[in-house]
Amino acid sequence: MTLPGHRPDTSSLRREVLISPGMCGAGSLVFGQIGDWTWEAVAAACGTNVHAARTADGRPAYLSFYYYRVRAGRTLHPHGLSFGDELRVDSRVFQFGGRSAVTLHRLAPAGLDLPDGPLDAAEVYERPHPDCLYAENFNRWIARSRSGSNESLAQTAPPDFAHRHLPRLPNAHSPRSPVGRAREAGSFHSAPPPGFAPAGPGFSCGYELDTVRDLNGAGLVYFAAYFAIFDTALLRSWRALGRADEQFLRRRVVDERIGFFGNADPGAAFRIEVRRWRGGPERPGAEIADMALRDAASGRLLAVASIETAPDGGEDRNGDGQER
Protein backbone atom coordinates (compact mmCIF):
# COMPACT_ATOMS: atom_id res chain seq x y z
CA MET A 1 0.00 0.00 0.00
CA THR A 2 1.33 3.42 -0.96
CA LEU A 3 -0.02 6.53 0.75
CA PRO A 4 -0.50 9.79 -1.20
CA GLY A 5 2.83 11.40 -1.98
CA HIS A 6 4.38 14.66 -0.79
CA ARG A 7 6.36 16.80 -3.23
CA PRO A 8 9.55 18.37 -1.80
CA ASP A 9 9.92 20.22 -5.14
CA THR A 10 8.53 19.99 -8.69
CA SER A 11 10.95 17.22 -9.65
CA SER A 12 10.26 15.00 -6.64
CA LEU A 13 7.79 12.68 -4.95
CA ARG A 14 7.90 11.26 -1.43
CA ARG A 15 5.74 8.30 -0.41
CA GLU A 16 5.01 6.37 2.75
CA VAL A 17 4.84 2.71 1.74
CA LEU A 18 3.56 -0.41 3.47
CA ILE A 19 4.98 -3.44 1.67
CA SER A 20 2.22 -5.76 0.46
CA PRO A 21 2.45 -9.23 -1.18
CA GLY A 22 2.42 -7.70 -4.67
CA MET A 23 5.59 -5.69 -3.93
CA CYS A 24 8.07 -8.29 -2.72
CA GLY A 25 9.45 -11.81 -2.97
CA ALA A 26 12.22 -13.72 -4.69
CA GLY A 27 11.09 -12.71 -8.20
CA SER A 28 10.68 -9.47 -10.09
CA LEU A 29 7.81 -7.87 -8.14
CA VAL A 30 9.96 -5.30 -6.34
CA PHE A 31 11.57 -4.18 -9.60
CA GLY A 32 8.16 -3.77 -11.21
CA GLN A 33 6.99 -1.72 -8.22
CA ILE A 34 9.99 0.61 -8.40
CA GLY A 35 9.32 0.96 -12.12
CA ASP A 36 5.73 1.99 -11.37
CA TRP A 37 7.08 4.63 -8.97
CA THR A 38 9.29 5.89 -11.80
CA TRP A 39 6.33 6.31 -14.11
CA GLU A 40 4.38 8.10 -11.37
CA ALA A 41 7.32 10.42 -10.64
CA VAL A 42 7.81 11.29 -14.32
CA ALA A 43 4.09 11.92 -14.75
CA ALA A 44 4.07 14.29 -11.78
CA ALA A 45 7.31 16.08 -12.69
CA CYS A 46 6.77 16.39 -16.45
CA GLY A 47 3.02 16.96 -16.74
CA THR A 48 2.61 13.99 -19.06
CA ASN A 49 -0.01 11.25 -18.83
CA VAL A 50 2.63 8.54 -18.95
CA HIS A 51 0.03 5.75 -19.05
CA ALA A 52 -1.72 7.08 -22.14
CA ALA A 53 0.97 9.13 -23.91
CA ARG A 54 0.96 9.54 -27.69
CA THR A 55 3.36 10.85 -30.28
CA ALA A 56 2.62 13.93 -32.36
CA ASP A 57 1.14 11.69 -35.08
CA GLY A 58 -1.09 9.83 -32.63
CA ARG A 59 0.83 6.60 -32.05
CA PRO A 60 1.08 5.22 -28.50
CA ALA A 61 4.34 6.29 -26.83
CA TYR A 62 5.92 4.28 -24.02
CA LEU A 63 8.39 5.37 -21.37
CA SER A 64 10.67 2.36 -21.77
CA PHE A 65 13.46 1.21 -19.47
CA TYR A 66 16.92 1.40 -21.02
CA TYR A 67 19.05 1.02 -17.87
CA TYR A 68 18.06 -0.09 -14.40
CA ARG A 69 20.34 -0.36 -11.37
CA VAL A 70 19.61 -1.24 -7.75
CA ARG A 71 22.19 -1.03 -4.95
CA ALA A 72 21.43 -2.46 -1.52
CA GLY A 73 22.34 -1.23 1.93
CA ARG A 74 23.03 -3.20 5.09
CA THR A 75 19.34 -3.03 6.10
CA LEU A 76 17.46 -3.21 2.80
CA HIS A 77 18.12 -5.36 -0.26
CA PRO A 78 15.71 -6.09 -3.13
CA HIS A 79 14.80 -9.64 -2.13
CA GLY A 80 14.80 -8.90 1.59
CA LEU A 81 11.54 -6.93 1.75
CA SER A 82 8.59 -8.66 3.41
CA PHE A 83 4.90 -8.16 4.16
CA GLY A 84 4.27 -5.23 6.47
CA ASP A 85 7.64 -3.50 6.11
CA GLU A 86 7.21 0.25 6.35
CA LEU A 87 9.31 2.44 4.08
CA ARG A 88 9.83 6.03 3.11
CA VAL A 89 10.45 6.26 -0.65
CA ASP A 90 11.97 9.43 -2.13
CA SER A 91 12.02 9.79 -5.92
CA ARG A 92 13.47 12.55 -8.09
CA VAL A 93 13.42 13.01 -11.87
CA PHE A 94 16.39 14.55 -13.72
CA GLN A 95 16.56 16.14 -17.14
CA PHE A 96 18.30 13.91 -19.65
CA GLY A 97 17.42 15.28 -23.08
CA GLY A 98 14.13 15.75 -24.88
CA ARG A 99 13.31 12.04 -25.23
CA SER A 100 14.52 10.53 -21.97
CA ALA A 101 14.81 11.01 -18.21
CA VAL A 102 16.72 9.62 -15.26
CA THR A 103 14.82 8.92 -12.05
CA LEU A 104 16.54 8.17 -8.75
CA HIS A 105 14.87 6.47 -5.79
CA ARG A 106 15.84 6.04 -2.17
CA LEU A 107 14.03 3.34 -0.16
CA ALA A 108 14.54 3.84 3.56
CA PRO A 109 13.16 2.14 6.68
CA ALA A 110 10.35 4.23 8.16
CA GLY A 111 11.57 6.55 10.88
CA LEU A 112 15.16 6.77 9.63
CA ASP A 113 16.61 10.25 10.14
CA LEU A 114 16.90 11.69 6.63
CA PRO A 115 16.99 15.18 5.08
CA ASP A 116 13.62 16.77 4.36
CA GLY A 117 14.60 18.23 0.98
CA PRO A 118 14.61 16.56 -2.44
CA LEU A 119 16.85 13.56 -3.02
CA ASP A 120 20.38 14.69 -3.85
CA ALA A 121 22.20 12.92 -6.68
CA ALA A 122 25.46 13.22 -4.73
CA GLU A 123 23.96 11.11 -1.96
CA VAL A 124 22.94 8.38 -4.39
CA TYR A 125 26.27 8.15 -6.20
CA GLU A 126 28.86 9.39 -3.71
CA ARG A 127 27.64 9.01 -0.13
CA PRO A 128 24.72 6.57 0.08
CA HIS A 129 23.17 6.02 3.49
CA PRO A 130 24.24 2.55 4.66
CA ASP A 131 20.69 1.59 5.69
CA CYS A 132 19.00 2.52 2.39
CA LEU A 133 18.39 0.87 -0.95
CA TYR A 134 18.91 3.04 -4.06
CA ALA A 135 17.52 2.59 -7.56
CA GLU A 136 18.53 4.34 -10.77
CA ASN A 137 16.25 4.26 -13.84
CA PHE A 138 17.24 5.62 -17.25
CA ASN A 139 14.09 5.73 -19.39
CA ARG A 140 13.63 6.57 -23.06
CA TRP A 141 10.42 7.33 -24.91
CA ILE A 142 9.73 4.84 -27.71
CA ALA A 143 6.99 3.97 -30.19
CA ARG A 144 6.48 1.09 -32.59
CA SER A 145 7.89 1.64 -36.08
CA ARG A 146 5.61 -1.05 -37.52
CA SER A 147 2.17 -1.99 -36.30
CA GLY A 148 2.14 -5.31 -34.51
CA SER A 149 5.94 -5.60 -34.30
CA ASN A 150 8.13 -5.21 -31.20
CA GLU A 151 11.34 -4.93 -33.22
CA SER A 152 12.98 -1.71 -34.42
CA LEU A 153 11.25 0.47 -31.85
CA ALA A 154 11.74 4.16 -32.60
CA GLN A 155 12.84 6.83 -30.13
CA THR A 156 10.25 9.57 -29.90
CA ALA A 157 8.50 11.58 -27.22
CA PRO A 158 4.98 12.92 -26.65
CA PRO A 159 4.79 16.64 -27.44
CA ASP A 160 3.66 17.47 -23.88
CA PHE A 161 6.76 15.96 -22.26
CA ALA A 162 8.00 18.95 -20.22
CA HIS A 163 11.60 18.47 -19.08
CA ARG A 164 13.58 21.71 -19.29
CA HIS A 165 12.64 22.73 -15.73
CA LEU A 166 14.08 19.57 -14.23
CA PRO A 167 17.48 19.51 -12.51
CA ARG A 168 20.38 18.21 -14.57
CA LEU A 169 22.21 15.06 -13.58
CA PRO A 170 25.95 15.81 -13.19
CA ASN A 171 27.93 14.44 -16.13
CA ALA A 172 30.07 12.37 -13.78
CA HIS A 173 26.98 10.32 -12.90
CA SER A 174 25.50 9.96 -16.38
CA PRO A 175 24.57 6.33 -17.16
CA ARG A 176 24.86 6.93 -20.89
CA SER A 177 28.53 5.91 -21.21
CA PRO A 178 28.50 2.76 -19.04
CA VAL A 179 25.32 1.42 -20.61
CA GLY A 180 26.62 2.29 -24.08
CA ARG A 181 29.82 0.34 -23.42
CA ALA A 182 27.80 -2.58 -22.11
CA ARG A 183 25.73 -2.62 -25.27
CA GLU A 184 28.81 -2.57 -27.47
CA ALA A 185 30.62 -5.28 -25.48
CA GLY A 186 27.58 -7.41 -24.69
CA SER A 187 28.57 -7.20 -21.01
CA PHE A 188 28.98 -4.83 -18.11
CA HIS A 189 32.28 -6.62 -17.47
CA SER A 190 34.35 -6.91 -20.64
CA ALA A 191 37.32 -7.21 -18.26
CA PRO A 192 37.38 -8.83 -14.80
CA PRO A 193 35.67 -6.55 -12.26
CA PRO A 194 38.20 -5.07 -9.81
CA GLY A 195 38.81 -7.52 -6.98
CA PHE A 196 37.20 -10.44 -8.84
CA ALA A 197 38.49 -13.39 -10.88
CA PRO A 198 36.78 -15.86 -13.25
CA ALA A 199 34.89 -18.63 -11.43
CA GLY A 200 34.72 -21.87 -13.38
CA PRO A 201 33.36 -22.44 -16.90
CA GLY A 202 30.52 -20.45 -18.42
CA PHE A 203 26.92 -21.63 -18.54
CA SER A 204 24.36 -21.32 -21.32
CA CYS A 205 20.64 -22.04 -21.47
CA GLY A 206 17.59 -21.36 -23.61
CA TYR A 207 14.39 -19.59 -22.68
CA GLU A 208 11.09 -19.44 -24.57
CA LEU A 209 9.24 -16.17 -24.17
CA ASP A 210 6.15 -16.83 -22.06
CA THR A 211 3.20 -15.11 -23.70
CA VAL A 212 1.15 -15.39 -20.51
CA ARG A 213 3.67 -13.98 -18.03
CA ASP A 214 6.29 -11.96 -19.92
CA LEU A 215 4.22 -9.46 -21.93
CA ASN A 216 2.70 -6.27 -20.58
CA GLY A 217 -0.63 -4.65 -21.42
CA ALA A 218 0.86 -2.98 -24.51
CA GLY A 219 2.02 -6.33 -25.93
CA LEU A 220 5.71 -5.56 -25.29
CA VAL A 221 8.05 -7.71 -23.23
CA TYR A 222 7.56 -6.26 -19.74
CA PHE A 223 10.74 -4.66 -18.41
CA ALA A 224 10.44 -6.50 -15.08
CA ALA A 225 10.17 -9.82 -16.96
CA TYR A 226 13.83 -9.39 -17.93
CA PHE A 227 14.71 -9.58 -14.23
CA ALA A 228 12.80 -12.85 -13.94
CA ILE A 229 14.34 -14.25 -17.14
CA PHE A 230 17.86 -13.50 -15.96
CA ASP A 231 17.06 -14.97 -12.54
CA THR A 232 15.76 -18.12 -14.25
CA ALA A 233 19.08 -18.52 -16.06
CA LEU A 234 21.02 -17.77 -12.88
CA LEU A 235 19.04 -20.34 -10.89
CA ARG A 236 19.73 -22.96 -13.57
CA SER A 237 23.43 -22.18 -13.38
CA TRP A 238 23.34 -22.49 -9.58
CA ARG A 239 21.64 -25.87 -9.86
CA ALA A 240 24.33 -26.99 -12.31
CA LEU A 241 26.85 -26.19 -9.55
CA GLY A 242 24.96 -28.38 -7.11
CA ARG A 243 23.52 -25.47 -5.19
CA ALA A 244 20.08 -25.83 -3.61
CA ASP A 245 17.09 -23.65 -4.43
CA GLU A 246 17.03 -22.59 -0.78
CA GLN A 247 20.45 -20.99 -1.27
CA PHE A 248 19.09 -19.02 -4.22
CA LEU A 249 16.17 -17.79 -2.12
CA ARG A 250 18.55 -16.70 0.65
CA ARG A 251 20.88 -14.79 -1.63
CA ARG A 252 21.55 -11.17 -0.81
CA VAL A 253 21.76 -9.09 -3.99
CA VAL A 254 23.88 -6.02 -3.29
CA ASP A 255 24.16 -4.60 -6.82
CA GLU A 256 22.06 -5.44 -9.88
CA ARG A 257 22.17 -3.79 -13.29
CA ILE A 258 20.28 -4.47 -16.51
CA GLY A 259 20.68 -2.75 -19.87
CA PHE A 260 17.62 -3.17 -22.12
CA PHE A 261 18.56 -3.04 -25.80
CA GLY A 262 15.70 -4.71 -27.65
CA ASN A 263 12.26 -6.19 -27.40
CA ALA A 264 10.76 -9.33 -28.91
CA ASP A 265 7.57 -10.64 -30.43
CA PRO A 266 5.43 -13.43 -28.95
CA GLY A 267 6.89 -16.85 -29.68
CA ALA A 268 10.51 -15.67 -29.53
CA ALA A 269 13.23 -17.93 -28.15
CA PHE A 270 16.26 -16.61 -26.31
CA ARG A 271 19.76 -17.81 -25.51
CA ILE A 272 21.31 -16.65 -22.23
CA GLU A 273 25.05 -16.83 -21.56
CA VAL A 274 26.22 -16.73 -17.93
CA ARG A 275 29.73 -16.00 -16.65
CA ARG A 276 30.64 -15.90 -12.98
CA TRP A 277 33.27 -13.86 -11.19
CA ARG A 278 34.47 -14.73 -7.68
CA GLY A 279 35.65 -12.16 -5.14
CA GLY A 280 39.31 -12.17 -4.15
CA PRO A 281 40.86 -11.91 -0.67
CA GLU A 282 39.31 -8.50 -0.12
CA ARG A 283 35.84 -9.74 -1.15
CA PRO A 284 35.73 -13.35 0.11
CA GLY A 285 32.55 -15.15 -0.88
CA ALA A 286 31.23 -12.34 -3.09
CA GLU A 287 30.14 -13.32 -6.58
CA ILE A 288 29.08 -11.54 -9.75
CA ALA A 289 26.94 -13.16 -12.45
CA ASP A 290 27.54 -11.54 -15.84
CA MET A 291 24.78 -12.40 -18.35
CA ALA A 292 23.81 -11.65 -21.94
CA LEU A 293 20.37 -12.31 -23.44
CA ARG A 294 20.14 -12.79 -27.21
CA ASP A 295 17.47 -13.74 -29.70
CA ALA A 296 18.20 -17.40 -30.44
CA ALA A 297 17.40 -17.15 -34.16
CA SER A 298 19.21 -13.95 -35.10
CA GLY A 299 21.77 -13.53 -32.31
CA ARG A 300 20.47 -10.00 -31.71
CA LEU A 301 21.49 -8.69 -28.28
CA LEU A 302 18.39 -7.86 -26.25
CA ALA A 303 19.75 -7.23 -22.76
CA VAL A 304 22.75 -7.63 -20.46
CA ALA A 305 22.77 -8.02 -16.70
CA SER A 306 25.20 -7.97 -13.79
CA ILE A 307 24.09 -9.38 -10.44
CA GLU A 308 26.41 -9.19 -7.44
CA THR A 309 25.61 -11.30 -4.39
CA ALA A 310 27.06 -10.94 -0.91
CA PRO A 311 28.72 -13.81 0.99
CA ASP A 312 25.52 -14.85 2.78
CA GLY A 313 23.83 -15.63 -0.53
CA GLY A 314 24.75 -19.30 -0.82
CA GLU A 315 28.22 -18.67 -2.22
CA ASP A 316 30.84 -21.20 -3.26
CA ARG A 317 33.21 -21.62 -0.31
CA ASN A 318 35.36 -24.30 -1.92
CA GLY A 319 37.11 -22.23 -4.59
CA ASP A 320 36.42 -24.74 -7.37
CA GLY A 321 33.00 -23.65 -8.58
CA GLN A 322 31.20 -26.47 -6.76
CA GLU A 323 28.88 -26.56 -3.76
CA ARG A 324 29.30 -29.33 -1.18
Side-chain angles (χ1 to χ4, degrees), residues 41-158:
V42 171
C46 302
T48 303
N49 184 347
V50 176
H51 298 86
R54 293 194 171 268
T55 65
D57 59 4
R59 290 174 295 153
Y62 309 109
L63 188 63
S64 71
F65 287 78
Y66 187 61
Y67 176 65
Y68 196 127
R69 185 176 188 182
V70 172
R71 288 177 295 142
R74 63 190 177 193
T75 301
L76 298 181
H77 63 98
H79 300 302
L81 299 175
S82 188
F83 307 166
D85 286 348
E86 297 181 13
L87 305 178
R88 167 179 155 179
V89 178
D90 285 270
S91 307
R92 194 177 191 191
V93 184
F94 291 81
Q95 182 182 158
F96 213 63
R99 296 182 295 187
S100 58
V102 168
T103 304
L104 304 180
H105 304 275
R106 178 182 60 208
L107 282 64
L112 191 66
D113 186 19
L114 294 169
D116 288 331
L119 180 60
D120 186 0
E123 175 190 334
V124 178
Y125 295 103
E126 301 169 20
R127 48 178 187 275
H129 192 291
D131 290 321
C132 296
L133 183 153
Y134 294 88
E136 175 185 5
N137 291 166
F138 174 13
N139 295 81
R140 304 195 303 179
W141 286 102
I142 60 169
R144 285 186 171 91
S145 299
R146 303 191 306 273
S147 178
S149 174
N150 290 342
E151 297 186 14
S152 302
L153 299 171
Q155 292 188 51
T156 186

Side-chain angles (χ1 to χ4, degrees), residues 15-41:
R15 310 166 180 83
E16 304 299 325
V17 175
L18 179 67
I19 296 297
S20 64
M23 296 178 176
C24 61
S28 61
L29 292 174
V30 64
F31 303 107
Q33 179 60 68
I34 293 171
D36 285 349
W37 290 334
T38 288
W39 272 35
E40 292 171 3

Side-chain angles (χ1 to χ4, degrees), residues 273-294:
E273 303 290 337
V274 183
R275 294 187 299 168
R276 293 186 306 118
W277 308 89
R278 181 187 299 113
E282 296 181 358
R283 302 289 300 278
E287 189 170 284
I288 293 176
D290 175 23
M291 296 181 278
L293 171 69
R294 298 181 184 274

